[in-house]
């Protein structure tokens, strides 16, 4: 093999990185950038019927500027949906992450028995698809056949409706916690196992008990993992869709616009207005980014301070 | 040097493979010059694959492949999405009320020329549902869902009530039954079934949509429908009818356990009852729906569907041949009745129904009664945005049930949402 000239070598070095990048760029363009671009394009248009809207060529697509955005933002139901989702997300975040942290710390402490079994038992619900989990719980929420209601009745609570307007949100929160705690616990637990045991020994020598070790040593070290799980959970709960959508057929208390994403689904696939759905989904995307960014900014110093 | 070249080759291959992977799906389908015509058929009717197999055996040149779908709103959404994406099936089962939105989206073809020969197999009322009152023909009627009153004979005797002849008698009976036993209801109001409400409104003489000249007229809150809404609103407010969401295990248990004693349903109900309420076998019977005034005799339609042909199909003629066979051929109709438990729309099919469904073994003249009732059913023209109206129905009446608020207002909300949607898309609207 002959040694190539300097120029050829530089050319080759110039092309190679792009070739490496190409798969990622192609995938990104095809599956992320292009659909977002198309969504943005659709959001500026709508269908215009001429005549009765039946028969050929009675349907044309026209450019309407920001009309769809104006309608989306002016819809009171849209903002009511956001309120419901904020309440839901607040509850899920606090309870699910709290439980995940407690379980992770318990499993990590030396004294717990049946650690492996408990770990799997807590994680297992995560492996159940959301729709299945919600259907399962949904049937348990229906009174006549449910062990939940049977139990409530033995304690004197007759006629508790778990799918009424005032309770249905808690019923959904319950499903989300049941399904999500395991995953978050596992992330935190894995991080805990990576902490050198010497730290605990040092703490013990300084006279710290298990509780003090958990609160003063483990939790601060867990901070980056907690941030990670919180951000993921914020994004997931804001986009809540499966639980309300699956409970809707069995409850009179879940409207077709219960969460903002459900409104998008209704517009796109039930009432056939892809254009409004496109505009609304872009508004949702913009709004969803805000809490995540705010949270990251808030905790950046505490969580990642030592890395900077 | 060598490794660098290798890396370059590998990344080039990766890009190549990726590009090939992406373009694989987009290849132009060349029409087959030889061999049989291949048709795909989306339907949710049970055992349709068996019926298609009978056709395939007799017609080696046209092969129909059945793809079983879930019914309901999702089925319509899926078809519209597929049509938009250019990969719709050749044939699709379309509920009558969804047909106008399919036509408006230019997703189904006008097959007037292909099916002219079978026109007189169908009654005018049914045929109107596939022409939408226009010159075109957008599908072939498959089944229809005339509504009738299903009731538990044993429980009616137990509670000492007669089969209600009018809706006033129905209301009185509902109060009597619920007063005697708080856990039992005469019947239910469903905020989840806009088609059910539409059928009851048709019975009352409602016309939710109509065409006057070149404009649509929307009459969802017309007097007939208001009367129906008020009637159920009163019963729901007093808590004497069941208002839980139907089609749940809870509802099945209530139906099965005799907690719901009657059901204003359609001719397809025996299939539902036998699977959801197996314990009631031999205890149910049918009668005409209660009437709005004594002496009247009307019914409405809940459900029923047609077979339409996609605008994008490359084999419209072959598809129309199959659709005509399926819905008018004596052998096919017999199979539809026996295998798919369908009440055929074709006149000749209705004469084939002789033995009562097994679940109704106690009522030997079941089909005779059903056919008589079917003759009294009246429908209305469905507009281009039934999907919007139906979605608004669920939201508005869900809310009315929750808040125990006025059903008239709920109906108004449904009407306004429908009109607003038509205004937005520029449909010409006749003033009311």
């Amino acid at each position: 093999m002959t040694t190539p000239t300097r120029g050829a070598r530089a050319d080759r070095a110039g092309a190679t990185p792009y070739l490496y990048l190409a798969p990622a760029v192609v995938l990104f363009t095809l599956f992320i950038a292009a659909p977002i671009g198309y969504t943005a394009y659709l959001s500026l248009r709508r269908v215009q019927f001429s005549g009765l809207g039946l028969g050929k060529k009675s349907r044309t697509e026209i450019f309407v500027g920001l009309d769809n955005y104006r309608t989306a933002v002016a819809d009171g139901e849209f903002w009511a949906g956001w309120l419901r989702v904020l309440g839901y997300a607040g509850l899920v975040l606090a309870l699910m992450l709290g439980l995940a942290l407690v379980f992770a710390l318990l499993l990590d402490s030396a004294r717990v028995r049946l650690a492996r079994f408990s770990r799997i038992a807590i994680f297992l619900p995560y492996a159940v698809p959301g729709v299945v989990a919600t259907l399962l719980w949904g049937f348990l929420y229906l009174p006549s056949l449910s062990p939940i209601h049977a139990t409530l009745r033995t304690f004197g609570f007759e006629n508790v409706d778990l799918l009424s307007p005032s309770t249905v949100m808690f019923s959904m929160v319950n499903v989300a916690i049941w399904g999500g705690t395991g995953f978050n616990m596992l992330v935190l637990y894995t991080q805990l196992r990576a902490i050198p045991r010497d730290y605990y020994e040092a703490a013990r020598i300084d006279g710290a008990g298990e509780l003090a070790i958990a609160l003063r040593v483990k939790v601060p070290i867990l901070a980056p993992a907690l941030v990670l799980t919180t951000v993921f959970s914020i994004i997931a709960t804001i986009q809540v869709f499966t639980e309300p959508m699956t409970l809707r057929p069995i409850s009179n208390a879940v409207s077709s616009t219960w969460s903002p994403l459900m409104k998008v689904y209704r517009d796109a696939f039930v009432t056939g207005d892809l254009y409004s759905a496109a505009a609304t989904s872009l508004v949702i995307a913009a709004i969803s980014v805000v809490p995540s960014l705010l949270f990251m900014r808030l905790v950046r110093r505490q969580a990642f301070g030592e890395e900077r | 040097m060598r490794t660098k070249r290798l890396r370059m080759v590998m990344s080039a291959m990766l890009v190549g493979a990726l590009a090939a992977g992406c373009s694989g799906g987009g290849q132009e389908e060349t029409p087959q010059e030889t061999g049989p015509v291949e048709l795909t058929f989306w339907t949710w009717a049970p055992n349709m694959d068996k019926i298609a197999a009978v056709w395939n055996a007799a017609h080696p040149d046209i092969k129909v492949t059945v793809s079983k779908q879930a019914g309901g709103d999702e089925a319509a959404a899926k078809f519209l999405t597929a049509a938009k994406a250019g990969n719709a099936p050749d044939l699709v089962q379309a509920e009558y009320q969804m047909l106008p939105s399919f036509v408006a989206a230019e997703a189904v073809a006008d097959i007037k020329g292909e099916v002219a020969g079978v026109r007189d197999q169908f009654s005018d009322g049914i045929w109107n549902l596939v022409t939408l009152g226009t010159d075109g023909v957008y599908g072939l009627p498959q089944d229809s869902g005339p509504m009738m009153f299903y009731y538990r004979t044993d429980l009616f005797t137990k509670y000492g009530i007669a089969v209600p002849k009018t809706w006033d008698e129905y209301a009185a009976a509902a109060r009597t039954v619920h007063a005697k036993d708080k856990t039992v209801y005469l019947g239910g109001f469903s905020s989840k079934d806009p088609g059910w409400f539409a059928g009851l409104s048709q019975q009352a003489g409602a016309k939710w949509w109509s065409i006057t000249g070149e404009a649509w007229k929307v009459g969802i809150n017309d007097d007939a429908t208001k009367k129906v809404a008020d009637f159920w609103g009163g019963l729901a407010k007093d808590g004497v009818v069941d208002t839980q969401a139907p089609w749940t295990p809870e509802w099945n248990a209530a139906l099965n356990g005799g907690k719901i004693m009657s059901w204003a349903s359609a001719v397809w109900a025996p299939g539902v009852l036998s699977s959801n309420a197996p314990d009631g076998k031999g205890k149910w019977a049918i009668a005409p729906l209660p009437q709005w005034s004594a002496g009247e005799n009307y019914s409405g339609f809940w459900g029923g569907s047609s077979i339409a042909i996609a605008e994008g199909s490359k084999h419209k003629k072959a598809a129309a041949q199959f659709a005509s066979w399926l819905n008018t051929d004596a052998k096919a109709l017999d199979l539809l009745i026996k295998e798919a438990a369908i009440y055929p729309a074709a006149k000749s099919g209705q004469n084939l129904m002789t033995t009562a469904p097994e679940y109704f073994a106690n009522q030997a003249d079941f089909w005779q009664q059903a056919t008589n009732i079917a003759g009294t059913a009246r429908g209305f023209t469905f507009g281009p945005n039934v999907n919007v109206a139906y979605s608004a129905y669920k939201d508005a009446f869900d809310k009315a049930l929750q808040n125990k608020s006025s059903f008239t207002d709920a109906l108004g909300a449904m009407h306004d949402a429908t009109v607003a949607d038509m205004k937005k898309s520029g449909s010409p609207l006749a003033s009311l």
Side-chain angles (χ1 to χ4, degrees), chain B residues 19-337:
Chain B
C22 296
S23 63
Q27 275 175 7
E28 271 295 298
E29 227 176 282
T30 44
Q32 285 140 321
E33 300 290 333
T34 54
V37 172
E38 301 261 355
L39 299 175
T40 48
F41 178 19
W42 282 8
T43 174
W44 56 85
N47 294 324
M48 194 57 97
D49 48 338
K50 288 186 193 161
I51 303 174
V54 173
W55 160 271
N56 289 339
H59 300 79
D61 52 331
I62 302 174
K63 184 170 179 291
V64 177
T65 309
V66 169
S67 168
K68 183 90 190 273
Q69 305 292 310
D73 295 347
E74 276 75 17
K78 188 175 170 188
F79 173 70
L80 280 174
T81 312
K84 219 168 255 171
N87 51 12
D90 298 284
L91 294 134
V92 63
Q93 180 175 5
E95 286 179 285
Y96 293 120
Q97 77 273 11
M98 288 304 173
L99 208 48
S101 41
F102 287 4
V103 173
E106 288 177 34
V108 295
D110 180 358
I111 48 169
K112 190 181 182 184
E114 283 83 3
V115 298
V118 298
R119 163 68 186 90
D120 45 354
Q121 293 269 346
F122 303 96
S123 71
D124 292 346
I126 296 266
W127 192 251
N128 197 36
L129 291 171
V130 294
T131 63
L132 317 178
T134 68
D135 295 332
V137 178
Y138 297 100
L140 278 183
Q142 175 158 302
D143 63 334
S144 76
M147 289 184 77
M148 47 192 82
F149 187 70
Y150 291 80
Y151 65 99
R152 280 279 294 261
T153 47
D154 55 335
L155 295 178
F156 269 52
T157 317
K158 181 180 164 194
Y159 287 97
I161 52 172
V163 177
K165 292 260 183 292
T166 63
W167 285 110
D168 282 342
E169 286 177 29
Y170 180 94
R175 289 175 206 283
T176 311
V177 167
H178 195 63
K180 283 187 180 162
D181 185 342
K182 287 278 171 241
T183 66
V184 177
Y185 294 101
L186 176 65
F189 173 84
S190 169
S191 57
K192 302 291 182 190
D193 292 311
W196 170 82
F197 187 71
L200 292 179
S201 303
Q202 289 172 342
Q203 188 211 10
K207 291 210 176 340
W208 285 3
W209 287 272
S210 47
I211 299 171
T212 51
E214 268 301 288
W216 285 102
K217 190 172 159 187
V218 181
I220 291 175
N221 64 353
D222 62 9
D223 291 339
T225 314
K226 266 189 200 148
K227 183 168 65 183
V228 179
D230 280 347
F231 173 79
W232 289 101
L235 293 178
K237 200 170 179 190
D238 295 347
V240 294
V241 287
D242 183 33
T243 54
Q244 68 167 310
W247 314 104
T248 66
E250 183 81 4
W251 181 76
N252 291 346
L255 211 56
N256 197 30
K259 299 291 178 196
I260 301 174
M261 292 166 48
S262 76
W263 189 25
S265 187
V267 69
W268 40 258
V272 176
L273 290 172
S274 60
S275 62
N276 298 19
D279 293 353
K281 189 178 169 186
K283 295 174 185 160
W284 289 78
I286 56 168
L289 284 181
Q291 300 295 318
W292 284 104
S293 8
E296 264 182 11
N297 195 9
Y298 289 116
S299 178
F301 291 101
W302 180 13
S305 50
S306 60
I307 303 300
I309 292 162
E311 181 65 43
S313 168
K314 294 193 178 70
H315 309 290
K316 293 197 182 78
K317 206 165 172 181
Q321 262 181 50
F322 171 73
S324 304
W325 174 82
L326 180 65
N327 295 308
T328 58
D329 183 86
K331 191 171 175 192
L333 291 173
D334 193 46
L335 285 168
L336 278 182
I337 295 164

Side-chain angles (χ1 to χ4, degrees), chain A residues 221-246:
Chain A
I221 296 177
L222 272 184
L226 278 171
V227 170
L228 178 86
T229 50
T230 310
V231 171
F232 280 176
S233 307
I234 289 178
I235 294 170
T237 46
I238 280 184
Q239 298 181 348
V240 61
F241 176 75
T242 313
E243 288 87 357
M245 199 66 192
T246 315

Side-chain angles (χ1 to χ4, degrees), chain A residues 122-165:
Chain A
I122 298 169
F123 180 71
L124 212 55
Y126 180 67
V128 179
V131 174
V132 178
T134 314
L135 272 180
L136 209 124
W137 276 104
F139 290 166
L140 286 174
Y141 293 153
L142 291 168
S144 70
L145 307 165
S146 165
I148 299 179
H149 290 268
T151 314
L152 284 173
R153 267 193 291 272
T154 56
F155 288 106
F157 293 102
E158 294 284 337
N159 298 326
V160 180
D161 184 355
L162 295 175
L163 295 167
S164 78

Side-chain angles (χ1 to χ4, degrees), chain A residues 1 4 12 16 19-20 22-23 26-27 30 46-49 51-59 139 142-145 165 248-256 265-266 269-271 273-274 276, chain B residues 1 5 7-8 11 14-15 18 22 74 77 81 84 100 103-106 132 134 138 191-192 211 214-216 243 245 248-250 253 311 387-388 391 394-395 398 401-402 424-428:
Chain A
M1 199 169 268
R12 228 176 258 176
T16 312
L19 269 175
Y20 282 128
V26 169
L27 283 176
L30 273 177
R46 74 169 166 80
V47 154
Q48 172 82 38
F49 287 124
L52 293 172
L54 304 172
K56 292 225 162 169
K57 304 285 161 265
S58 61
R59 183 190 162 92
F139 290 166
L142 291 168
S144 70
L145 307 165
R248 180 166 152 69
I250 63 169
S251 166
N252 291 336
V254 184
S255 69
S256 65
Y265 174 84
R266 186 200 65 182
F269 298 112
V270 179
T271 62
D273 186 357
L274 273 179
S276 297
Chain B
M1 251 3 280
R5 181 167 292 170
R7 268 188 258 156
M8 268 186 64
S11 44
L14 197 66
V15 173
L18 204 71
C22 296
E74 276 75 17
T81 312
K84 219 168 255 171
V103 173
E106 288 177 34
L132 317 178
T134 68
Y138 297 100
S191 57
K192 302 291 182 190
I211 299 171
E214 268 301 288
W216 285 102
T243 54
T248 66
E250 183 81 4
E311 181 65 43
N387 40 6
V388 173
S391 168
K394 293 183 200 172
D395 277 342
D398 264 354
L401 283 179
Q402 263 174 54
K424 195 173 123 198
S425 53
S427 300

